[in-house]
Structure formats: structure tokens, C-alpha cells
Amino acid sequence: SQQGEEDPQALSIQEGENATMNCSYKTSINNLQWYRQNSGRGLVHLILIRSNEREKHSGRLRVTLDTSKKSSSLLITASRAADTASYFCATDAKGNTGKLIFGQGTTLQVKP
Amino acid sequence: NAGVTQTPKFQVLKTGQSMTLQCAQDMNHEYMSWYRQDPGMGLRLIHYSVGAGITDQGEVPNGYNVSRSTTEDFPLRLLSAAPSQTSVYFCASRPLVARKEELFFGEGSRLTVL
């Protein structure tokens, strides 16, 4: 079964609002990564958080990691219509030789 | 830099036919992998490789073969296509060095099996 489970599956917000997506996983990890996918395109890496980190920022993105709960969240602040995409978490499990296991993704729609 | 290049972008097969999806990267990445993406299922790892001559199975390897004769290329072979293999396939690569864990993806190959 997949390592990551994401919540919600779909999210629709107005431009300017914040969007929060959650990811839960099952086993111990080296790091957790978030990716973005525009419709019909490949995935693009957004941000990585290591198992010894609790929070990380990159521009309008903020990622948190709670290893005790095996969960992570991605916050996009002041969303824009261009943020409309699917967002995936991926985990690099300990001892897994670098392979990433992806969650099912959250589809975000930002209405102008 | 071209990055990760996948060919073909679109392919239609009949059940039982065989084909190869090509993946090439020009970044000298040791690690390469194949995923399939189906609606509501996210991405599932099919096979991966940590270097030339080394391959291993992912979550859903049945029906697929891979080989890695060079650092640059990692083809995915469907030996006898089935309708259940209708999907979008993504190749991804990364270097195997510390603190460079992000995957670089190709644009995908959309396969339909009739």
C-alpha cells in the first residue's frame, strides 16, 4: 500500500486565501517532500523537510513535520489562480535506498 | 539541459502487443525510476535503478521489465500489454548524493491499451 495518504482529496478556495494540505505516512522516514503537478505535465519538486526538522519555509510555502504523528502539512499562503494544480507528498523511508513513495495527492483549485 | 526526456508522449496498443517506453536523462544521475499514475491512485513506483547494471522492483512491478545498461537510459518494457496497463507513465531521476534528494520528472508518456 502507499506510504502517504493526503487530505483533503480536493480543495477549492478563492484567490488570496490560504490553502492547507495534509499528508500522513506509515513508516520512519529520512525526509518528506512535496511536489506540484500542473494538468497534463510532469511533477515539479517544491520543498523537502528532513526527519529532524519541524518546519520549513520557501516563499509562500510553509511545511511542517510531526514525526510522532507521522504527518506533514503544506500551507500555501495568499494563493493565486496560478497555484491551481495537484499537490503530492512523497516519503523517503529509512533504509529504502532513496526511492520515493507518493501519496494520492490533493487537487487545489484557486478561483480568481 | 534537456533534463529527463520520455518518448513517446502518446501510444495506443492492442492487448498482447509489446512496446518500450524510453527514458533518457542528461544530468548524470545515478538513480532513475518509473512510476505510473492512475486517477485517484497517485503515483505508484514500478521499478527503479541506483546505477548501471542495477535494477529493483517497486510497488507494482508485474507486467513490466527494465534494464539499465548506461547511466543515461532507463527503458521500461511492456512484454504483453493489458488494458490494466492503460495509464500515464513518468520517469524520474536524481543524483545519489547527500542533500540532493529531489526527483526530476519527465513530462510523461500516456499509454492506452485496447
Side-chain angles (χ1 to χ4, degrees), chain A residues 2 35 37 41 50 100, chain B residues 35 37 41 101 103 107:
Chain A
Q2 287 175 291
Y35 287 79
Q37 182 182 35
R41 305 298 298 274
R50 302 188 186 283
L100 283 186
Chain B
Y35 291 87
Q37 184 176 30
M41 299 292 291
E101 295 95 333
L103 277 178
E107 289 296 304

Side-chain angles (χ1 to χ4, degrees), chain B residues 6-7 21-23 32-36 44-48 66 74-76 89-92 109:
Chain B
Q6 291 183 234
T7 56
L21 298 178
Q22 301 290 346
C23 176
M32 297 185 73
S33 55
W34 277 102
Y35 291 87
R36 60 177 288 173
R44 292 181 290 171
L45 182 64
I46 305 171
H47 285 286
Y48 66 100
V66 292
F74 191 43
L76 179 71
Y89 292 85
F90 288 97
C91 180
S109 296

Side-chain angles (χ1 to χ4, degrees), chain A residues 11-62:
Chain A
L11 182 59
S12 182
I13 59 175
Q14 294 293 137
E15 225 173 10
E17 294 180 338
N18 295 341
T20 300
M21 291 159 255
N22 302 296
C23 170
S24 60
Y25 58 92
K26 298 176 182 175
T27 63
S28 296
I29 60 172
N30 293 315
N31 64 71
L32 186 145
Q33 302 178 33
W34 286 90
Y35 287 79
R36 167 190 169 130
Q37 182 182 35
N38 288 352
S39 181
R41 305 298 298 274
L43 281 74
V44 176
H45 182 263
L46 292 175
I47 193 166
L48 178 153
I49 187 164
R50 302 188 186 283
S51 60
N52 61 351
E53 298 174 316
R54 292 297 166 258
E55 188 171 311
K56 205 161 182 181
H57 297 254
S58 177
R60 292 184 296 113
L61 304 180
R62 175 182 154 230

Side-chain angles (χ1 to χ4, degrees), chain B residues 12-33:
Chain B
V12 178
L13 290 178
K14 294 181 180 178
T15 296
Q17 287 184 319
S18 63
M19 79 156 299
T20 299
L21 298 178
Q22 301 290 346
C23 176
Q25 53 90 10
D26 61 0
M27 297 173 281
N28 203 32
H29 288 170
E30 296 90 347
Y31 179 90
M32 297 185 73
S33 55

Side-chain angles (χ1 to χ4, degrees), chain A residues 28 31 73 86 94 101 106:
Chain A
S28 296
N31 64 71
S73 67
S86 292
K94 284 189 187 296
I101 303 299
T106 294

